[in-house]
Amino acid sequence: MTQSARQEQEAKLVSTAADHPSSASANPASSGDAARQQPRRLDITDLERIARFRRAGYGGNVSDTLNALGVRDTVFSERFRPLRQGMQLVGRALPVKLHSLVEPVPPELQRAMEQKWQAEGGHPQKRMMRAIEDSPDGTVLCFDCGGDMQPAHFGEMSCQLAYAHGCRGMLLAGNCRDTQYILKMPDFPIFCFGTRPNAFGGWIITDINVPIYLPGHLTHYVRVMPGDFIFGDNDGVQLIPKDLVDEVLLRVEALFEHENSERAQIAAGMSVDEVYRKFGVL
């Protein structure tokens, strides 16, 4: 979308959200602040949000919408790559911390760890799966692996279990494996740093559903809070702050419809002069 058209569209959207049509139309920049203070909410499930973001959203219009709302520090590192082109990673962030674990583990330390896990409700991976089960469907596992790149941190069987209980993908600052089977799953997009065949090498889950940092693109780190929203496609991965998810969705849908109209007019043969007169700089 052109800059002028986008500003006009943003102003219209915010005037609806903030109930200040005159000020929003006159000053689109300040209108972003108004929408952040009073964002719109939708009475829908996260699975419905996922479906609507996948239909109307792509990296550019999500980024432009966040920028219009004053959010510019939530683009993740380009190291996060999809297992294959065309994947869309969309859903509610469930952050998890991992850390390296030196192997072999001495027997006395293993016993102490097992006693600690039992007191906490079971093995850390089991507790992570319970967190998925207890959450509304539509979660995205977000893994801070502490910089550890030795092993594969997640494999297909874990993906199958997570998916069966409502998880809809993974953002992994580490490695995965079993990709030929993961790619056969009906809907489990993964964006990760790489793939490795070895699960050995030593790692353990340390915290579940707590704030984490993941490598950023425009900032060193992006903070991921429980309940934030993840959007990733061929252009990269972004975070949508939890309080702005529905506001962003509604704006993205409006931009999608506007751009479809613009696209159709250009494809129909509109002259160059008319394109720039009507839409401004593309």
Side-chain angles (χ1 to χ4, degrees):
M1 178 183 285
T2 61
Q3 290 181 343
S4 59
R6 182 172 289 110
Q7 287 178 344
E8 179 183 355
Q9 188 72 14
E10 291 293 343
K12 291 177 181 177
L13 286 166
V14 174
S15 66
T16 302
D19 290 327
H20 296 295
S22 58
S23 62
S25 300
N27 189 354
S30 64
S31 70
D33 293 335
R36 290 189 70 177
Q37 294 169 8
Q38 194 177 356
R40 289 170 288 179
R41 314 269 190 213
L42 296 170
D43 185 18
I44 59 175
T45 68
D46 278 345
L47 290 182
E48 292 175 281
R49 289 184 178 89
I50 290 170
R52 289 171 64 168
F53 265 115
R54 285 182 170 177
R55 172 186 172 272
Y58 62 91
N61 66 6
V62 172
S63 176
D64 290 345
T65 297
L66 287 169
N67 182 49
L69 290 167
V71 180
R72 307 184 67 177
D73 56 357
T74 62
V75 180
F76 290 102
S77 169
E78 69 280 0
R79 294 179 68 189
F80 289 104
R81 305 299 300 172
L83 288 185
R84 70 168 163 232
Q85 288 290 292
M87 283 185 162
Q88 287 180 292
L89 179 66
V90 187
R92 189 76 60 179
L94 199 166
V96 179
K97 283 188 179 183
L98 308 181
H99 207 282
S100 57
L101 179 68
V102 176
E103 294 180 334
V105 179
E108 62 277 10
L109 178 57
Q110 183 67 39
R111 286 192 295 271
M113 290 169 57
E114 290 175 357
Q115 289 174 357
K116 179 176 180 292
W117 297 339
Q118 184 176 6
E120 292 173 344
H123 189 280
Q125 190 187 81
K126 181 179 180 180
R127 288 188 281 117
M128 179 188 71
M129 293 297 180
R130 281 180 179 160
I132 296 170
E133 184 179 38
D134 292 342
S135 300
D137 288 354
T139 55
V140 167
L141 285 167
C142 301
F143 285 101
D144 167 15
C145 298
D148 181 22
M149 292 295 292
Q150 294 184 81
H153 300 93
F154 225 77
E156 181 247 345
M157 288 301 176
S158 297
C159 293
Q160 293 281 8
L161 180 57
Y163 178 78
H165 291 283
C167 183
R168 288 300 175 264
M170 185 185 310
L171 184 64
L172 174 61
N175 301 312
C176 68
R177 71 174 188 173
D178 309 329
T179 56
Q180 66 172 313
Y181 290 101
I182 293 171
L183 290 172
K184 293 175 182 176
M185 293 177 65
D187 184 21
F188 202 81
I190 293 180
F191 283 64
C192 60
F193 284 0
T195 60
R196 293 292 182 272
N198 57 296
F200 60 83
W203 61 270
I204 194 68
I205 293 171
T206 60
D207 292 289
I208 302 160
N209 219 15
V210 297
I212 62 172
Y213 283 121
L214 291 178
H217 170 57
L218 299 172
T219 54
H220 187 66
Y221 287 121
V222 173
R223 182 176 61 181
V224 182
M225 303 293 290
D228 287 338
F229 221 72
I230 304 296
F231 184 93
D233 66 2
N234 291 343
D235 296 333
V237 190
Q238 304 170 71
L239 179 143
I240 304 170
K242 60 184 177 181
D243 292 337
L244 295 177
V245 175
D246 290 344
E247 181 68 35
V248 170
L249 173 58
L250 290 166
R251 288 170 175 238
V252 160
E253 289 178 327
L255 291 176
F256 173 74
E257 297 299 334
H258 184 96
E259 288 188 333
N260 279 344
S261 173
E262 183 178 335
R263 187 177 293 113
Q265 293 176 68
I266 292 173
M270 181 181 285
S271 71
V272 171
D273 287 344
E274 180 65 10
V275 167
Y276 281 87
R277 185 196 68 77
K278 186 170 184 179
F279 301 127
V281 178
L282 301 179

